[in-house]
Every structure is written in C-alpha cells, then in structure tokens.
Amino acid sequence: MHVIVIGAGVIGVCSAWYLREAGFDVTVVERRAAPAQESSFGNAGVIAPGYVTPWAAPGMPGKVLRNLFASTSPVLFRPSADPAMWRWIARWLGECTLERYRVNKLRMQRLAFYSRECLHALRGKLEIDYEQSQGYLQLFRTRRDLALAEPALALLREHKVPHRLVDADGCRGIEPGLTTDTPLAGGLHLPEDESGNCPMFVRRLRTLAEAAGVRFVMDRDAGAPRPLPGGGLALDLRAVDHGTGHDAGHAAGGAPETLTADRMLVCAGVGSAALLRPLGLRIPLYPVKGYSATVQVSDELQAPLAALMDESYKVAITRMGNRLRVAGTAELGSRRLDLRPAAVNTLLKVARDWFPVAGHYGNATLWAGARPMLPDGPPLIGATAVPGLFLNLGHGSTGWAMACGSGRIAADLIAGNAAAIDLEGLTPARYGLGPR
Ligand SMILES: Cc1cc2nc3c(=O)[nH]c(=O)nc-3n(C[C@H](O)[C@H](O)[C@H](O)COP(=O)(O)OP(=O)(O)OC[C@H]3O[C@@H](n4cnc5c(N)ncnc54)[C@H](O)[C@@H]3O)c2cc1C
C-alpha cells in the first residue's frame, strides 16, 4: 500500500519512518530543498513531557492584555483584519479556564510521555546523535511567577512527575554557570525532561529512512489532495524554483506532476490549513511566530549544561553541542517571518542576564519561525471525513517533544491498528473533522 506524506518537518519525517517500519511504500513530498527548514529548524529543542503546557492557560489572556503595547513582551498580539485570527482567538479564550487547561494539558502530556518513550527506543535502535542533554530547569525571577506556576505544579504532584522546587542556590547547583547578578526567586527542576537538536535529528532520520526505502520528493509544492472516484487520492505537485522563490511549474508553463496513493498523511505544519480548505476540512490552525538566536559557546565553565526556561520572559536557553540556542516570544497576528529587532534583543537580553559571558552574543545566528498552533493545544492525529486522508498536525510549541509518538500513532492508525495510548481528544474528531 502506497502512502504519501506531505511535509518533511519533524512530524512528517518521523511519520514516514514509522510508516516504512510498518511495511508501507512511502513517499514524502516537500516544497523545500531539505527537510526541517520551517518550524522544525530553529526551535528551542526542549523535550519536556513533564512540563508541556498549552498556550491556552488561566492568566494568559491577562498577560496578553497587560503586554499589548510592550515590544519586549514574551507574548505579543498584533491585531489585524484577518478573520481566521479572530475566530482562533475566540476559541482560544474559551480554552483559558482552569478546567480546560487541565484537560488540554493532560492530553498533551499523555502524548508527550509516549513520544519520549518512542524517541528513546528509536535512539537506542538507530544510534542517532542529536546533541541531546538531560534535565530541564525553569527559572522564576519573582514570587509572582512562581505563584502563576501553581496549576502546573499541582498537576506534576498529582501525576507523580519527578520534579524538585529549588531556591536560587539550588538552581546554581544544577547549572553552575548561572550568574548571581540577576535576581532569582527559585526554580523547578525536571530531571527526566531533556533537549536536543531537532533539525539534526530530522536530517539523520531522513537519511536512514531513505536507506530503508522511503522516497523523498523535494522542491515540490503540493496542492490539495484529490479523492479519486475508484478510491485512493491524487496529489498535484508544482516544482519550486528556490532561486526565484517562484513556482517553477507555473513559470515554465508546465503541467503539474501528479502522484497517486492509497492513503495520504498531511504533516504540512502551518501550511496545513490552506491545503485542506478545498476539501471542506476547516482546521482552526494559526501561526504563532517565535524567534531564536544561536550562539557559539566561548566559555565552557560559564555556559549552560542543559535546557532552561526563563518563565518570566518565556525564553528557553538550550545547550546544543558547542552552541547555545535561545528561543522564545509568541506573536499572534503576523504571518510574515521577518526578524523583529525588539524580539531578538529580548532573547539576547535574557541569555546575557543568566549567562553573561557564555558566548559571542554579538555574532548570533538569528531565525524566525511559526508554530502551527490550534486554539486548545493538543495536535490532531488520525483519519478525516475524506476517505484515505489522515492528519498529523497542529503541534504548536511542542512538536519536537511529540514528534516520535505522533508519527508512530499515525502509522498505527493508517495500518488499521490501535494506538498504544488513549487517543481521547487527540484526533480530528475533536473538531468534528473525523470519519462520519
Ligand atoms: C521559536 C520556537 C521555539 C520552539 N521550541 C520548541 C521546543 O523547545 N520544543 C518543542 O517540542 N517544540 C518547539 N517548537 C515547536 C516545533 O518546532 C513545532 O511544533 C514543530 O517543528 C512542527 O513540526 P511540523 O513538522 O509540524 O512543521 P514544519 O517543521 O513546519 O514542517 C512542515 C513541512 O511541510 C512543508 N509544507 C507545507 N506545505 C506544503 C505543501 N503545500 N507542499 C509541500 N510541502 C509543504 C513545509 O515546507 C515544512 O517543511 C518551537 C517553535 C518555535 C517557532
């Protein structure tokens, strides 16, 4: 049976791997020249099942409102006339209650814990190195930030997730490079959470998948999948000329190339909503923009050992080999991926606040990307109302943490098998998009 996977981000490549392992004939279609060039490229690299948190949380609407006009805010809202954005916000507001937060967080955690299991199994089997490090430390600058973390702490206690609240000295015991110059109210250490270089993992898995027989069709922009009268689906592809940024198919006036398959799996990240609209599948997916800065470590003793999160600024600082990645900011309302200087300055300020002499901050490599975010938080994995068409999308700010588990589940469902975890609240049925 032939399966086409649309999108070679971390979700698409993991799905392709597990589909091949399940015995399918697999083709991955990607508009970029290489895998993991969009959302999966410059992310913070944190894999924190213990602390996955929906963006829809109690206190968040207030935080957004308080910071509406502050350019250094960790969450920024840029009002625009885009009706999709207003629909998204209306749904998101409805998910910001404590009750909905708990439901959404538990769904995400269930998937993230399973995903970490799958990642470890894959890492053991394939011996993939992706600059992984162990442990995750949340930093709280003020008592107020610590108090805002209480609902998340209650869930950690309730679900017996190993964690430790530590004072400022305790934080420095875990991360000796932390400066004493920046006020620190305390920290939360999750010893079992981890981090790693997502695009490095994807590139290596792609090579192994190709060696195992997965076909990668790069530089092709896929149109909407088309159900065929006799069963199966067709996909029209246009060649993309990266030199001009134009659709080479149109430029050459050539007819699109068409592929057919028995099943299709959409893993197109933020591009998924537009791709699925012609099929009548309206996915409330909106891009939430973020930034990262990658810096060469210049002083090993003053640099972080693993991953940290400054909870006040929502900025992550992650060690990746001999570099550190600083990532954060959530901007809603702009679909452009330009680098906003104030956002980049905030990232670099936070890194300098904690590790002032760790790296060459002046020479940072900068990146902007968009998180494929659903209003409530958990992704959508599984069959749609269109026969043969499956989804694996909407992983928001935790797609790397959920990638292996999501890929494995998608492959299990396409094979007609039960998934290893309860899929309540994780399938397209949640938005009325499942099989009728
Ligand atoms: C600043 C920032 C920090 C983050 N930090 C973390 C973190 O610490 N931990 C974590 O778990 N997650 C993090 N994330 C989120 C994570 O990066 C995403 O959830 C994840 O990368 C989504 O993967 P994806 O494969 O769905 O999307 P993508 O990586 O965007 O892949 C989708 C692919 O589909 C292709 N595509 C789209 N449309 C078409 C089409 N029509 N034809 C052909 N190809 C198409 C795209 O080119 C792309 O390659 C962060 C994100 C950002 C922006």
Side-chain angles (χ1 to χ4, degrees):
M1 190 184 278
H2 183 209
V3 184
I4 292 180
V5 176
I6 307 174
V10 67
I11 302 298
V13 173
C14 288
S15 302
W17 172 265
Y18 288 110
L19 281 162
R20 184 72 197 121
E21 207 175 52
F24 292 104
D25 179 13
V26 184
T27 304
V28 180
V29 173
E30 167 57 51
R31 63 185 171 194
R32 300 292 202 127
Q37 294 296 294
E38 298 209 349
S39 190
S40 305
F41 184 75
N43 65 32
V46 176
I47 300 171
Y51 211 70
V52 284
T53 302
W55 207 51
M60 274 300 269
K63 199 165 193 163
V64 173
L65 276 178
R66 271 195 306 280
N67 292 301
L68 205 50
F69 302 107
S71 60
T72 54
S73 164
V75 281
L76 203 73
F77 172 43
R78 299 170 158 263
S80 74
D82 184 354
M85 184 195 74
W86 291 103
R87 280 196 299 272
W88 191 96
I89 289 176
R91 283 182 134 151
W92 174 74
L93 283 171
E95 298 291 332
C96 284
T97 64
L98 183 58
E99 194 193 343
R100 293 304 306 157
Y101 168 79
R102 286 175 65 90
V103 169
N104 292 325
K105 186 173 166 106
L106 288 176
R107 288 171 174 169
M108 291 169 75
Q109 249 177 359
R110 195 178 340 125
L111 175 57
F113 277 115
Y114 173 59
S115 192
R116 188 174 62 189
E117 245 176 66
C118 296
L119 171 68
H120 289 177
L122 209 56
R123 186 170 80 191
K125 179 172 164 181
L126 304 175
E127 296 181 357
I128 303 183
D129 170 39
Y130 51 94
E131 298 182 327
Q132 56 269 39
S133 61
Q134 191 63 40
Y136 186 37
L137 181 62
Q138 307 276 322
L139 300 175
F140 302 101
R141 290 184 186 235
T142 62
R143 296 250 140 238
R144 187 167 181 276
D145 288 324
L146 205 47
L148 279 175
E150 187 43 46
L153 285 169
L155 280 180
L156 291 178
R157 287 190 292 267
E158 193 177 320
H159 294 275
K160 300 192 172 33
V161 177
H163 67 281
R164 191 161 57 103
L165 274 171
V166 282
D167 61 11
D169 285 344
C171 290
R172 293 189 188 100
I174 295 162
E175 284 286 358
L178 272 174
T179 181
T180 49
D181 294 342
T182 302
L184 178 57
L188 167 68
H189 189 233
L190 293 128
E192 292 185 357
D193 285 353
E194 56 192 66
S195 60
N197 185 328
C198 174
M200 182 184 276
F201 177 86
V202 176
R203 282 195 297 273
R204 301 209 163 143
L205 191 60
R206 182 251 171 117
T207 305
L208 293 165
E210 222 161 17
V214 176
R215 181 173 163 237
F216 282 81
V217 178
M218 308 304 284
D219 303 311
R220 297 291 189 286
D221 199 358
R226 283 187 289 117
L228 294 169
L233 298 125
L235 192 68
D236 296 331
L237 307 181
R238 292 272 181 185
V240 180
D241 180 343
H242 295 290
T244 61
H246 291 132
D247 180 324
H250 279 301
E257 186 185 340
T258 300
L259 300 180
T260 58
D262 304 289
R263 304 277 184 272
M264 276 189 204
L265 178 65
V266 177
C267 307
V270 292
S272 304
L275 203 60
L276 293 163
R277 206 170 300 128
L279 290 156
L281 297 173
R282 301 189 81 83
I283 316 276
L285 186 82
Y286 207 77
V288 175
K289 186 177 172 187
Y291 302 84
S292 70
T294 307
V295 178
Q296 197 70 31
V297 169
S298 56
D299 187 337
E300 187 63 39
L301 293 177
Q302 313 290 329
L305 299 173
L308 303 96
M309 166 69 87
D310 181 321
E311 268 294 321
S312 313
Y313 284 88
K314 297 271 182 209
V315 168
I317 305 173
T318 310
R319 184 65 184 264
M320 289 183 187
N322 57 4
R323 294 170 307 156
L324 57 98
R325 166 88 34 92
V326 194
T329 305
E331 285 180 26
L332 188 70
S334 165
R335 289 181 186 264
R336 288 174 48 217
L337 292 180
D338 54 322
L339 288 165
R340 197 170 53 81
V344 171
N345 290 341
T346 303
L347 296 185
L348 295 174
K349 171 206 152 33
V350 170
R352 284 195 176 102
D353 279 355
W354 297 116
F355 299 100
V357 293
H360 301 292
Y361 294 113
N363 296 332
T365 305
L366 305 176
W367 175 80
R371 304 167 180 89
M373 195 86 93
L374 290 158
D376 47 1
L380 298 176
I381 314 170
T384 67
V386 178
L389 186 68
F390 290 72
L391 309 182
N392 194 359
L393 53 86
H395 293 74
S397 53
T398 48
W400 168 218
M402 294 174 172
C404 289
S406 303
R408 176 69 202 267
I409 290 169
D412 281 337
L413 296 180
I414 291 173
N417 298 327
I421 60 166
D422 178 6
L423 294 184
E424 185 279 323
L426 293 170
T427 70
R430 184 168 101 239
Y431 285 110
L433 302 166
R436 297 197 179 102

